[in-house]
Amino acid sequence: MANILLTGFEPFGGEKVNPAQLAVNRLQGEHIGNLDVVTGVLPVVTVKCIEEAVKLIEKYDPVAVINVGQAGGRVELSVEKVAINVKDYRIPDNEGNQIRYAPVVEDGPAAYFSSLPVEKIADALVERMIPASVSYTAGTYCCNEVFYGVSHYLRNNRPNVPNCFIHIPFILEQAAGAKPARPSMSLETIIRGLEIAIEQTSTFLS
Ligand code: PCA
């Protein structure tokens, strides 16, 4: 069997948990389609987030990579289509870096499209009654940075390994009682959604 690498992120922005970390931890060791799920958690710190992702790719030698991050405020799973060569942080990262108007990779291309079939993944999620859509912006914070950095690394070093990025909403415990109110999705639904994305990836690769 071949490995698929699934990564989450540590909590950031004052949250106690990151649902991306919780979800990928629950999927560690699962066998889905023809794939074995291997996982890791990335720091919400500029540059280090990409370095850790590349380390995990070199360690596990996966046939596909899905990076997952929290997008608080979104109401559904966002299967990201585009990573842009921009860092413009809305809040400081977990080591206090507040980056404005910088490229992820100096002289890198303006953007990368996901090399997994994001449209098929989003459609499969909706067919299975999981709220989802293709998104055309992963923001300009660490998630976009990882999406861009991993895409750049893979296209240059492992061109046969496709990747995508999935943003997920807050989970119920981050929303219950929050003022102002926040949209949320259950962790179970998010995990089911990620399983479907992995199934689709397995089909795409076979
Ligand atoms: N979400 C952030 C970074 C880490 C995470 O889980 C983002 O959307 O950039």
Side-chain angles (χ1 to χ4, degrees), residues 93-164:
D93 70 15
N94 282 354
E95 288 186 357
N97 304 296
Q98 172 78 70
I99 298 176
R100 304 296 314 278
Y101 312 138
V104 178
V105 175
E106 206 67 56
D107 300 322
Y112 287 103
F113 276 158
S114 170
S115 45
L116 280 169
V118 290
E119 299 81 2
K120 277 208 176 114
I121 293 172
D123 286 355
L125 289 163
V126 170
E127 267 162 35
R128 311 281 270 279
M129 298 300 138
I130 310 261
S133 63
V134 175
S135 162
Y136 301 98
T137 176
T140 54
Y141 193 50
C142 288
C143 287
N144 175 73
E145 181 171 342
V146 162
F147 186 20
Y148 186 94
V150 167
S151 301
H152 188 75
Y153 168 82
L154 291 175
R155 298 307 180 278
N156 287 297
N157 299 283
R158 296 168 185 252
N160 298 326
V161 178
N163 70 303
C164 77

Side-chain angles (χ1 to χ4, degrees), residues 56-67:
L56 290 165
I57 293 167
E58 286 174 350
K59 175 172 173 194
Y60 290 117
D61 194 23
V63 294
V65 179
I66 301 181
N67 302 108

Side-chain angles (χ1 to χ4, degrees), residues 9 12 18 44 69-70 141-143 167:
F9 279 97
F12 68 101
N18 189 324
V44 181
Q70 164 194 303
Y141 193 50
C142 288
C143 287
H167 261 129

Side-chain angles (χ1 to χ4, degrees), residues 9-19 21 41-44 70 94 174:
F9 279 97
E10 63 189 15
F12 68 101
E15 296 298 313
K16 290 197 188 72
V17 298
N18 189 324
Q21 174 175 23
V41 174
L42 308 179
V44 181
Q70 164 194 303
N94 282 354
Q174 294 173 289

